[in-house]
Amino acid sequence: AQSVTQPDIHITVSEGASLELRCNYSYGATPYLFWYVQSPGQGLQLLLKYFSGDTLVQGIKGFEAEFKRSQSSFNLRKPSVHWSDAAEYFCAVGANQAGTALIFGKGTTLSVSS
Amino acid sequence: NAGVTQTPKFQVLKTGQSMTLQCAQDMNHEYMSWYRQDPGMGLRLIHYSVGAGITDQGEVPNGYNVSRSTTEDFPLRLLSAAPSQTSVYFCASKADNYGYTFGSGTRLTVV
């Protein structure tokens, strides 16, 4: 069965420092992969997605992610974190070939210290 | 465009009551899904639909029913609410090769 693991429940990063959030997936075929962000009390916003092609994908708000098939990973990165990036981040994999059913990881909460 | 609209935003039910969570999208998306979000559990897929008249079960379908009579609407029905169904429910829709757009959620408490 498809699954997503986000190993870090909570991460604290200093403002201006770089960020990497880890995501590992289990899926038999070429996966559809996504990163979403959720601010407190809000819905989820799509940061970026990978379907095929270039393994380094750019998203909104200065985020990028790299798909590594050999490691079954899709880690999210940002070179310089802003206080407004504090939120919960979810990695998701498409659970079928059309990517119409998403399986989410349990999320990583990002805190930004000044 | 309103995007994905969920109603109500908040609801309190007594155990055994039934209710329908409404979800509507105005983007002509074929694909729609329902998720529940619980602390420390992430989002879990309840049911999803790939088009009008076509639905399928997700990870946690028990206790929930769905139907998709139109492209725009994808209601979620709780037939007999239980305290274990206390959660935040999100509806989402997508088009091909795009990620899902999420509604703002319905916070449901079953007492």
Side-chain angles (χ1 to χ4, degrees):
Chain A
Q2 297 82 4
S3 65
V4 175
T5 301
Q6 294 180 246
D8 304 305
I9 297 174
H10 189 198
I11 286 182
T12 299
V13 174
S14 299
E15 190 169 17
S18 64
L19 169 70
E20 182 169 28
L21 301 182
R22 296 183 291 164
C23 173
N24 294 98
Y25 68 90
S26 172
Y27 188 68
T30 299
Y32 290 78
L33 294 162
F34 306 84
W35 274 99
Y36 283 86
V37 61
Q38 184 181 35
S39 297
Q42 303 298 311
L44 280 78
Q45 182 181 23
L46 178 66
L47 285 175
L48 47 79
K49 61 187 184 295
Y50 171 79
F51 288 169
S52 63
D54 193 348
T55 56
L56 183 64
V57 294
Q58 302 297 320
I60 63 172
K61 304 185 179 185
F63 286 93
E64 66 178 26
E66 186 171 14
F67 170 58
K68 293 185 177 180
R69 184 187 300 276
S70 62
Q71 298 177 18
S72 297
S73 69
F74 189 57
N75 294 349
L76 182 72
R77 300 193 295 248
K78 187 171 185 178
S80 178
V81 168
H82 188 262
W83 63 266
S84 60
D85 293 322
E88 190 160 19
Y89 291 80
F90 293 95
C91 181
V93 64
N96 57 18
Q97 199 162 8
T100 53
L102 296 187
I103 302 298
F104 283 82
K106 294 184 178 181
T108 298
T109 300
L110 172 66
S111 297
V112 180
S113 61
S114 56
Chain B
N1 283 351
V4 179
T5 302
Q6 291 184 237
T7 55
K9 293 191 183 302
F10 301 93
Q11 183 71 49
V12 179
L13 287 180
K14 294 182 179 179
T15 298
Q17 286 185 315
S18 63
M19 80 160 294
T20 298
L21 307 185
Q22 301 292 343
C23 176
Q25 52 94 4
D26 61 358
M27 298 171 284
N28 202 33
H29 287 170
E30 287 297 315
Y31 310 119
M32 297 185 74
S33 297
W34 276 103
Y35 293 86
R36 60 176 290 174
Q37 183 177 27
D38 304 290
M41 298 296 292
L43 282 86
R44 292 181 290 170
L45 179 64
I46 304 172
H47 287 283
Y48 66 101
S49 170
V50 299
I54 307 170
T55 63
D56 205 349
Q57 296 182 350
E59 303 169 88
V60 289
N62 292 341
Y64 307 95
N65 280 352
V66 292
S67 60
R68 184 94 181 272
S69 56
T70 67
T71 299
E72 294 78 19
D73 299 301
F74 191 43
L76 179 71
R77 280 181 283 275
L78 285 71
L79 299 180
S80 179
S84 61
Q85 294 178 304
T86 293
S87 187
V88 181
Y89 291 85
F90 288 100
C91 178
S93 73
K94 74 181 285 290
D96 275 341
N97 294 331
Y98 289 92
Y100 271 101
T101 297
F102 281 79
S104 58
T106 294
R107 186 174 295 274
L108 176 67
T109 302
V110 182
V111 298

